[in-house]
Amino acid sequence: MALRIEDYGLLGDLQTAALVGRDGSVDWLCLPRFDAPACFAALLGDERAGFWRVAPAAGGLCTRRRYRGDSLVLETEWDTPEGSVRVIDAMPPRGEAADVVRVVEGLSGRVPMRMALRLRFDYGHIVPWVRSRDGELVAVAGPDAAWLSTPVPLRGEDMTTYADFTVAAGQRVPFVLTYRRSHERTPKPVDAERAIADTEAFWTSWLRGFRYEGRWEDAVRRSLVVLKALTYKPTGGIVAAVTTSLPEQLGGPRNWDYRFCWLRDATFTLQALLGTGFVAEAKAWREWLLRAAAGDPADLQIMYGIDGTRRLPEYTIDWLAGYEGSAPVRVGNAASGQFQLDVWGEVLDGLHLTRMAGIESEEQAWDLQRALLDFLEGHWDDPDNGLWEVRGDRRHFVHSKVMAWAGMDRAVRAVERFGVEGPVDRWRATRDKIHAEVCDRGYDPGRNTFTQFYGSKGLDAALLLIPRAGFLPWDDPRVRGTVEAVQRELCSDGFLLRYRPGADGDVDGLPGAEGAFVTCTFWLADALYGIGRHREAYELFERLLDLRNDLGLLSEEYDPVARRQLGNTPQAFSHVGLVNAARHLSGADPAEHLGGGR
């Protein structure tokens, strides 16, 4: 059985990432990039699907672990009857090939150790041809090749490579796993000690640009490191998570592939990056956004591949049983073909934010926005699948309409403030028409709350974003009523659900339930602060920080009954929520880019 989701730590080289468990096992790694097939997939099945463990021969979970400073150099330690030992793990920023570096360091006594490597390409499906060459282990299967370099003797048994050795106090034993396409030349050897030093130096240098004043500096710094680690450096795209099919309900079917880039995350991510000083990363994300959104505005998708790929066909991998039996395991995401109206608003809002931040705006960027606005004008009153990608009937979701309003509003502001050209009177009229309709059809005066969709009896955590979008000010009675209704009806043990799946006749068209949504609960803390309930906001924010694992990582959801993390991990949306809520609760204006609310 796999470890709990929170038992995993993150390594990354800005092109892919690995998950390392408390037992010293790498149970998830896709090579050569985030969305490639996994060569270690034990996380979604068992050890037959591939893993790489370096740990005391007696096994067991570690005694303690930590990241070295602000870096992604992971130190895992065991205290055993024979002595103490540390395993240092790192993925240096990508050079000519992808490397995973592991160094065993003896701390005291003499500890028997065991290394076990089981490479299985294509999500555990393909067994490579393994041989020894020039003192290295070489594994090849089709387009994939990997090399393992270490000074300790290796042996093969049951289609797995082992090394048994003893480490004494002061000794250091390196292991380097390198990946490259099989048709390319053998990569140059990597010095393990230098690679670890270089990795630590990279992260330390990167964080020198950090800017935040508030009481949660350590949490904000770690979340920003996670966001950077989820960035695909060649394109600037930021994946939603490094995993696929970690369940929203243990044993259930709500298992999705999150190794792609969602446009809905654009504004939130840009707020987090720009608000903490990382302009270069924000600019790279903006450039990815412009490339991905280019083309026919009618064909705008909710998500794209890390290089802007549009086709993300969804299929299932039947040979993997799924995390704790949560099947099916999915690759690709069929939601990429959904119509989600809010995406047009999200893109326009994100590009407006970068313009407000002083990031230069090319003429073609405004041309793209004009095309998006033309589409939005003609389709804002269409029903859609909504922010949460429901697979039931399309509806007139209130959040979608609010973001359509936001898209038109940002266009008006661009003309008024920056002097760009456009039919501002027409845009202003459309903006006002959307606003009036939402207030008329999306608001329930009897309950004093906006609803999930027109005529709905259910609520939606995304309604908390109404004031953040500038649609209504924080002191509007309808905003306060909505915040209080969402808190009252969607909270589970104090943490917020996205919505009630069974409301309004099974709104999302899927069986089963899900856990509390982490970023939505950050939105609630943010909203409580916005309506003046500051102490309650602080308390909720602190509770959310307690959901992080010992390394500061958050997944997508949390089960307040089982008290464990759920969903894909680490989740960019959760960490973005943490950063933005921390900034707001520390005094930053969450709508500073809007120039004031309506």
Side-chain angles (χ1 to χ4, degrees), residues 181-204:
R181 293 296 191 184
S182 59
H183 64 275
E184 298 177 331
R185 65 179 177 82
T186 302
K188 297 176 182 177
V190 170
D191 179 86
E193 300 289 358
R194 183 170 211 170
I196 289 173
D198 289 347
T199 304
E200 183 177 9
F202 167 81
W203 289 105
T204 301

Side-chain angles (χ1 to χ4, degrees), residues 184-369:
E184 298 177 331
R185 65 179 177 82
T186 302
K188 297 176 182 177
V190 170
D191 179 86
E193 300 289 358
R194 183 170 211 170
I196 289 173
D198 289 347
T199 304
E200 183 177 9
F202 167 81
W203 289 105
T204 301
S205 175
W206 180 73
L207 271 169
R208 286 178 185 149
F210 175 74
R211 186 179 74 242
Y212 163 79
E213 294 181 4
R215 60 198 278 191
W216 300 290
E217 180 177 340
D218 289 345
V220 172
R221 289 170 74 93
R222 178 50 56 185
S223 286
L224 287 164
V225 167
V226 172
L227 288 177
K228 179 67 172 177
L230 296 179
T231 302
Y232 184 63
K233 184 179 179 180
T235 66
I238 301 174
V239 295
V242 306
T243 56
T244 179
S245 301
L246 290 182
E248 297 173 6
Q249 178 187 30
L250 293 175
R254 295 170 181 258
N255 319 313
W256 316 110
D257 193 345
Y258 272 24
R259 298 170 298 160
F260 309 115
C261 305
W262 266 256
L263 298 191
R264 74 177 183 216
D265 300 359
T267 301
F268 300 106
T269 303
L270 287 166
Q271 285 175 337
L273 293 171
L274 290 170
T276 52
F278 293 101
V279 177
E281 283 71 21
K283 185 175 181 180
W285 175 234
R286 172 187 176 275
E287 295 306 309
W288 177 91
L289 189 64
L290 285 171
R291 293 191 302 270
D296 186 345
D299 294 333
L300 190 68
Q301 296 185 180
I302 67 167
M303 72 179 84
Y304 295 83
I306 54 180
D307 56 1
T309 298
R310 289 174 173 263
R311 286 178 53 81
L312 307 174
E314 180 177 302
Y315 61 93
T316 61
I317 298 178
D318 298 330
W319 60 84
L320 291 178
Y323 179 85
E324 294 195 17
S326 303
V329 172
R330 292 182 171 93
V331 172
N333 201 310
S336 60
Q338 288 187 346
F339 173 58
Q340 295 181 23
L341 181 67
D342 66 291
V343 168
W344 279 261
E346 298 286 3
V347 173
L348 291 163
D349 190 22
L351 295 176
H352 178 75
L353 176 59
T354 59
R355 184 180 292 111
M356 292 289 291
I359 295 177
E360 66 272 18
S361 181
E362 300 89 346
E363 184 176 342
Q364 60 265 31
W366 179 242
D367 290 342
L368 171 64
Q369 291 170 77

